[in-house]
Every structure is written in structure tokens, then in C-alpha cells.
Amino acid sequence: MTAETGAPDPHEPSAHPVTGLDEVVHQRVRLGILTIAHEARRVEFGYLRTQLDLTAGNLSKHLSVLEAAGLIEVEKGYAGRRGRTWITLTAAGSTALAEEIGRLKLLIARVETTDTLEDR
């Protein structure tokens, strides 16, 4: 437990890995955005929309959440005469993504090392 909040400390060995999942990062679309942005130096809005099969409005809402959390930077500009929006992962976004992946790996390990019903 943390002294400040009384909530379980996700870094304590006794805490279940799910307690450390970040609600901002863990949401399916936002996890996809962060993962794609991690793979590229910067990614264009249209590419994200296509890859994640989203409407422009839906993607914009998720980008706003990530930008407000400081996990991405949004840059608007032009490529020729066409307006473009590029997304870049921030250092905080990279850290948050790595921590989320670490928690997911812990959960996977727990499932893989637990006896199945047939073994009981």
C-alpha cells in the first residue's frame, strides 16, 4: 500500500500486475496508437486512422486524451498543399508504453505458469 493514497502499490511484489495497468495507455485504441508511434519516428494521422480502422473523429478523441496526458505530441503542418497531422511519442509516452508492456508480460507469465483445469 502507498502511504499517500492507501491504494496497492503496483511495484510491491505482492500486488497483482493488473493493479499497475494504466487506464489511459491500456485502452485498445490508445495502446495501438502508442505502439505504432513507438515503431516510427513520427506517424501521420491518416496512417493511424487506416491501420486502426477508426473514424477521424474517434481517432482525434483518443489523440486528445494521449496528448493531454503528455504521452504524445501532435504537430500540424502541410505536405505540399494538403494539411497534415503528425504524431510523435514523447519520452513519457515511451516510458508509459514500456511499463504497460511489462505489466502485460507479468500477467501473461502468471497465466502460462498456472495449472490448467486438466492439471488439477
Side-chain angles (χ1 to χ4, degrees), residues 64-86:
S64 294
V65 170
L66 292 171
E67 185 177 28
L71 304 180
I72 62 166
E73 290 180 350
V74 177
E75 174 190 351
K76 295 187 181 275
Y78 288 89
R81 294 183 178 179
R82 296 189 59 160
R84 298 281 187 209
T85 301
W86 293 277

Side-chain angles (χ1 to χ4, degrees), residues 17-73:
V18 77
T19 62
L21 293 176
D22 182 330
E23 293 295 325
V24 171
V25 174
H26 190 73
Q27 196 281 339
R28 178 185 66 83
V29 171
R30 293 191 290 265
L31 186 59
I33 292 166
L34 293 174
T35 302
I36 292 169
H38 174 75
E39 295 169 345
R41 188 177 77 75
R42 72 179 188 167
V43 62
E44 202 268 326
F45 182 93
Y47 180 81
L48 280 174
R49 191 174 55 78
T50 301
Q51 289 297 302
L52 298 173
D53 194 26
L54 300 170
T55 64
N58 194 340
L59 177 56
S60 290
K61 288 179 184 178
H62 287 290
L63 292 175
S64 294
V65 170
L66 292 171
E67 185 177 28
L71 304 180
I72 62 166
E73 290 180 350

Side-chain angles (χ1 to χ4, degrees), residues 16-19 21 26 101-112:
H16 193 279
V18 77
T19 62
L21 293 176
H26 190 73
I101 297 300
R103 290 280 172 215
L104 292 172
K105 286 179 180 179
L106 289 172
L107 286 170
I108 291 167
R110 288 177 71 122
V111 169
E112 289 177 341

